[in-house]
Amino acid sequence: MTRTVYVNGEYLPETEAKVSIFDRGFLFADGVYEVTSVLDGKLIDFEGHAKRLTRSLNELDMPHPVTMDELLEIHRELVKLNEIEEGLVYLQITRGADADRDFVFPSADVPATVVLFTQNKPGLADNPAAQKGIKVISIDDQRWGRRDIKTVQLLYPSMGKMMAKAQGCDDAWLVEDGYVTEGTSNNAYIVTQEGTIVTRQLSNDILHGITRAAVLRFAKEAQIKVEERPFTIEEAQNAKEAFFTSASAFVMPVVEVDGKAVGDGKVGDMVPRIREIYLEEMRKAAV
Ligand code: PDD
């Protein structure tokens, strides 16, 4: 089945979809994005992603080319057309294509580029990695200072994943001034020996994860203590459990950090419990 994608108001086969070579997303990474997961053919936390998208556009003085109602409609239509039961919807909005390459932002009458496509991922919620846990390395956080804006500048995160792969690991946690900021494409957490969840507080240093917000809410409801503060790699290595969250991986246990086992090196009790609560509650609230 050829995938149907959305480009600037049209639903097209992916082979016919076109974006200008002058698009500022392509030339300057002048664009923002969202990734929303689909379970049981429904969108997980669409509202959270739509709100963060609005914030990203505002922070970059970008126009809002589609209303949130229209966006929901487009997401749903793509899920339906591509028969997605489990998978992802990727959305990207760029500042559009000016007549030529120019660092200066184009005038407001240049239309934004809006692209959406689906990724079919059967078994997304039953990812075997969630049973086994994953291994991370730590690397220097060399990204720009506005990581709270979900821009498409993903070269360094991409390089980070390659560095992890080269060391036989699955992902990298980024470290700045001795403390973990977040993962290459996820938020990072530890569970202390006392059973407290620790994750870095919100600021411009990290992306304000939509999964993070939900997980912290569910943890508090389950009477689990949460501390929002930075932690070190050493603390992670000495923690009882560790994990990360993202819209595509949900809640993922981390069992090794820089070659050192976290706890006994096996998936613990708390992380699978949080994952289960998250999936159950989010499935119920899906649209
Ligand atoms: N990444 N931090 C970074 C740097 C991210 O790129 C992401 C998401 C997160 C988690 O945010 P959320 O829970 O809203 O997905 C944190 C997406 C999934 C991606 O780039 O594919």
Side-chain angles (χ1 to χ4, degrees):
M1 189 172 107
T2 312
R3 177 164 41 177
T4 301
V5 303
Y6 176 94
V7 184
N8 298 328
E10 283 187 287
Y11 293 92
L12 298 164
E14 63 180 60
T15 45
E16 286 171 31
K18 287 194 182 73
V19 174
S20 165
I21 62 157
F22 297 110
D23 194 90
R24 293 183 60 87
F26 179 58
L27 296 179
F28 296 103
D30 188 358
V32 298
Y33 77 107
E34 282 295 332
V35 177
T36 304
S37 59
V38 178
L39 292 177
D40 314 318
K42 289 181 174 174
L43 299 159
I44 299 296
D45 216 337
F46 174 80
E47 200 187 332
H49 289 282
K51 280 190 180 151
R52 185 173 60 192
L53 175 70
T54 303
R55 181 177 181 278
S56 294
L57 292 170
N58 288 344
E59 291 298 305
L60 294 175
D61 283 330
M62 282 174 65
H64 294 233
V66 272
T67 66
M68 291 307 135
D69 286 347
E70 285 164 344
L71 264 191
L72 177 58
E73 182 58 37
I74 301 165
H75 275 73
R76 282 181 162 158
E77 188 63 17
L78 283 181
V79 168
K80 197 171 93 193
L81 290 171
N82 294 296
E83 298 172 13
I84 308 293
E85 270 303 300
E86 291 202 1
L88 305 168
V89 182
Y90 177 87
L91 150 79
Q92 180 167 327
I93 299 180
T94 78
R95 208 183 301 270
D98 208 350
D100 203 350
R101 178 176 183 265
D102 189 348
F103 281 84
V104 175
F105 291 175
S107 58
D109 57 355
V110 169
T113 302
V114 183
V115 169
L116 285 95
F117 58 81
T118 52
Q119 292 182 282
N120 192 25
K121 297 203 181 275
L124 185 67
D126 286 326
N127 187 347
Q131 242 92 77
K132 251 176 65 203
I134 65 129
K135 299 174 183 178
V136 300
I137 58 163
S138 66
I139 60 171
D140 211 27
D141 195 340
Q142 293 181 1
R143 299 172 302 161
W144 79 324
R146 288 303 306 274
R147 303 156 193 160
D148 56 309
I149 309 172
K150 199 163 172 63
T151 74
V152 296
Q153 306 174 60
L154 296 175
L155 178 57
Y156 192 68
S158 188
M159 288 166 70
K161 287 198 195 273
M162 292 310 291
M163 291 181 230
K165 213 174 151 186
Q167 292 190 38
C169 291
D170 307 285
D171 209 345
W173 277 6
L174 306 164
V175 175
E176 186 170 62
D177 299 329
Y179 293 95
V180 174
T181 50
E182 59 186 330
T184 56
S185 62
N186 44 66
N187 291 115
Y189 309 71
I190 56 171
V191 181
T192 67
Q193 297 297 339
E194 294 74 41
T196 301
I197 293 178
V198 179
T199 192
R200 196 179 178 102
Q201 71 279 12
L202 297 181
S203 72
N204 293 353
D205 299 337
I206 62 167
L207 187 74
H208 301 189
I210 302 306
T211 320
R212 177 189 184 279
V215 158
L216 294 189
R217 191 172 73 241
F218 297 140
K220 285 171 191 166
E221 280 169 17
Q223 316 291 329
I224 299 165
K225 219 176 133 206
V226 173
E227 266 179 40
E228 294 182 64
R229 61 162 176 88
F231 61 86
T232 63
I233 286 295
E234 200 188 345
E235 238 184 312
Q237 289 171 327
N238 295 319
K240 198 169 180 191
E241 297 179 50
F243 63 104
F244 70 69
T245 64
S246 74
S248 49
F250 311 117
V251 178
M252 185 60 64
V254 170
V255 292
E256 192 184 296
V257 178
D258 279 343
K260 210 170 161 222
V262 177
D264 60 5
K266 298 206 180 77
V267 174
D269 299 329
M270 181 159 337
V271 179
R273 191 174 139 217
I274 295 168
R275 182 180 169 92
E276 204 182 303
I277 297 173
Y278 175 82
L279 286 171
E280 198 184 313
E281 293 299 321
M282 296 318 280
R283 276 184 201 273
K284 274 195 249 165
V287 297

